[in-house]
Amino acid sequence: MTVITYWLTEHPSIVNFRWSPTQSYAATWSFLFTAVSFYVMSAVTLHLLLLLVILPLCHRRRGFSLGFIPALHSLTVSIISAVIFVGILLSAAAEIRDTRWLWRRTRTTTLQWFLCFPVGTRASGRVFFWSYLFYLSRYLHLFRTFFSVIRRRKLSFFQLINQSSLLCISFLWLEYSQSFQVAAILLTTVSYAVVYGYRFWTEIGLRGACFPFVVNCQAILLGCMAVCHVGVLCIHLVKRGGCNGIGAWLFNSVLNAVISLLYLKFYCKTRSMRTTKAKHTTT
């Protein structure tokens, strides 16, 4: 346990980490905008090529099989998410241990720190190192869109908006040392570890759940996020000085609200389709 704690919390690269556009990879606005634009244009171009050129030439109605690649991707994302979850959890405990004596001045509790960083917090240290790794891992999630296009000939507007928004949100967490990110990363990574682990399980041919497991996990995650956002707002209004990065948090909240509305629409559509299918099967 001591060795794990050292490599996840006490290694010099973690303790001395500092978010910087000149020292951190992919840490500039230009890189972010270029990456998001390239992702959207590539997904749309691939979808149109498959739909209008490649599939008609091959006389295929279905997409192409990618073999073991999606399963390997799911396993990789699940493992990375689990490592980030453990890393930021241990790092948060270490930060609380090392800085608790400073909290007496601002009367900050552990729960408040998880949701609301004190004003003046800089993006450096253990917690922000794992936030940076979470940001980089978001680029790995983008491949799911291309898998969906190639395998199912399906390009979802919700998927494009969701992936692009989450990438921008994780960048804002670091750029503005935004409050709420510790709780958000903990909730998100544990959800991803379970969801992508389940996807790996089903993609290697094992039996899945008898209910929409992934959809329900995502619904639970969005519900927990909404509760945390309310908590951040309450603490910001009550706490003297407010929370750090509250402007970025407001933008984050708007994006999350859009994602939640789109997901709610998708969730209702999925439930309706399953209910209709069940009725036809019974009949």
Side-chain angles (χ1 to χ4, degrees), residues 20-42:
S20 170
T22 57
Q23 298 177 2
S24 304
Y25 177 72
T28 61
W29 286 97
S30 58
F31 185 93
L32 177 67
F33 291 145
T34 302
V36 172
S37 301
F38 180 78
Y39 160 67
V40 174
M41 289 189 295
S42 298

Side-chain angles (χ1 to χ4, degrees), residues 162-224:
N162 183 49
Q163 296 288 9
S164 301
S165 298
L166 291 176
L167 184 60
C168 294
I169 287 171
S170 58
F171 178 87
L172 292 175
W173 287 349
L174 290 158
E175 185 69 13
Y176 295 101
S177 304
Q178 184 188 314
S179 298
F180 164 72
Q181 62 179 283
V182 176
I185 293 173
L186 286 171
L187 291 171
T188 305
T189 50
V190 71
S191 175
Y192 286 164
V194 173
V195 166
Y196 280 91
Y198 172 79
R199 282 174 172 164
F200 170 74
W201 176 272
T202 56
E203 283 165 355
I204 61 175
L206 298 176
R207 185 176 181 180
C210 58
F211 60 94
F213 182 84
V214 174
V215 174
N216 288 343
C217 285
Q218 291 172 337
I220 293 172
L221 175 61
L222 287 175
C224 292

Side-chain angles (χ1 to χ4, degrees), residues 75 89 91 99 110 113 162-163 170-171 174-175 182 194-195 219 221 224 236-237 251 256 266 277:
L75 179 61
L89 183 64
S91 295
T99 60
T110 301
W113 181 82
N162 183 49
Q163 296 288 9
S170 58
F171 178 87
L174 290 158
E175 185 69 13
V182 176
V194 173
V195 166
L221 175 61
C224 292
H236 176 71
L237 295 176
F251 181 71
N256 277 336
F266 168 76
K277 184 178 180 181

Side-chain angles (χ1 to χ4, degrees), residues 57-69:
L57 287 176
C58 297
H59 304 287
R60 295 174 64 98
R61 293 184 178 181
R62 298 181 179 180
F64 295 93
S65 173
L66 293 175
F68 66 91
I69 295 177

Side-chain angles (χ1 to χ4, degrees), residues 48-257:
L48 293 176
L49 282 175
L50 283 172
L51 194 64
L52 302 177
V53 180
I54 298 176
L55 292 178
L57 287 176
C58 297
H59 304 287
R60 295 174 64 98
R61 293 184 178 181
R62 298 181 179 180
F64 295 93
S65 173
L66 293 175
F68 66 91
I69 295 177
L72 181 61
H73 176 268
S74 296
L75 179 61
T76 303
V77 174
S78 179
I79 293 174
I80 291 175
S81 298
V83 171
I84 293 175
F85 172 79
V86 175
I88 197 169
L89 183 64
L90 294 177
S91 295
E95 291 291 340
I96 291 171
R97 179 197 65 210
D98 295 343
T99 60
R100 187 185 293 274
W101 63 276
L102 290 172
W103 295 357
R104 297 174 183 175
R105 301 178 182 178
T106 57
R107 298 179 180 179
T108 302
T109 64
T110 301
L111 178 61
Q112 288 177 340
W113 181 82
F114 268 99
L115 295 177
C116 177
F117 287 151
V119 175
T121 299
R122 295 182 179 180
S124 60
R126 302 179 182 94
V127 167
F128 288 97
F129 170 83
W130 291 107
S131 180
Y132 176 57
L133 286 191
F134 178 81
Y135 162 64
L136 293 180
S137 73
R138 289 301 322 170
Y139 289 95
L140 191 59
H141 288 256
L142 302 182
F143 287 99
R144 288 288 304 181
T145 303
F146 299 101
F147 294 162
S148 179
V149 171
I150 295 173
R151 295 167 70 185
R152 304 185 183 93
R153 299 188 309 161
K154 182 179 180 181
L155 179 61
S156 170
F157 174 74
F158 168 74
Q159 194 171 29
L160 287 176
I161 294 297
N162 183 49
Q163 296 288 9
S164 301
S165 298
L166 291 176
L167 184 60
C168 294
I169 287 171
S170 58
F171 178 87
L172 292 175
W173 287 349
L174 290 158
E175 185 69 13
Y176 295 101
S177 304
Q178 184 188 314
S179 298
F180 164 72
Q181 62 179 283
V182 176
I185 293 173
L186 286 171
L187 291 171
T188 305
T189 50
V190 71
S191 175
Y192 286 164
V194 173
V195 166
Y196 280 91
Y198 172 79
R199 282 174 172 164
F200 170 74
W201 176 272
T202 56
E203 283 165 355
I204 61 175
L206 298 176
R207 185 176 181 180
C210 58
F211 60 94
F213 182 84
V214 174
V215 174
N216 288 343
C217 285
Q218 291 172 337
I220 293 172
L221 175 61
L222 287 175
C224 292
M225 288 288 199
V227 172
C228 290
H229 274 291
V230 173
V232 173
L233 179 61
C234 293
I235 294 173
H236 176 71
L237 295 176
V238 173
K239 186 178 179 181
R240 180 181 299 178
C243 301
N244 197 68
I246 198 64
W249 173 83
L250 288 172
F251 181 71
N252 185 349
S253 300
V254 173
L255 287 180
N256 277 336

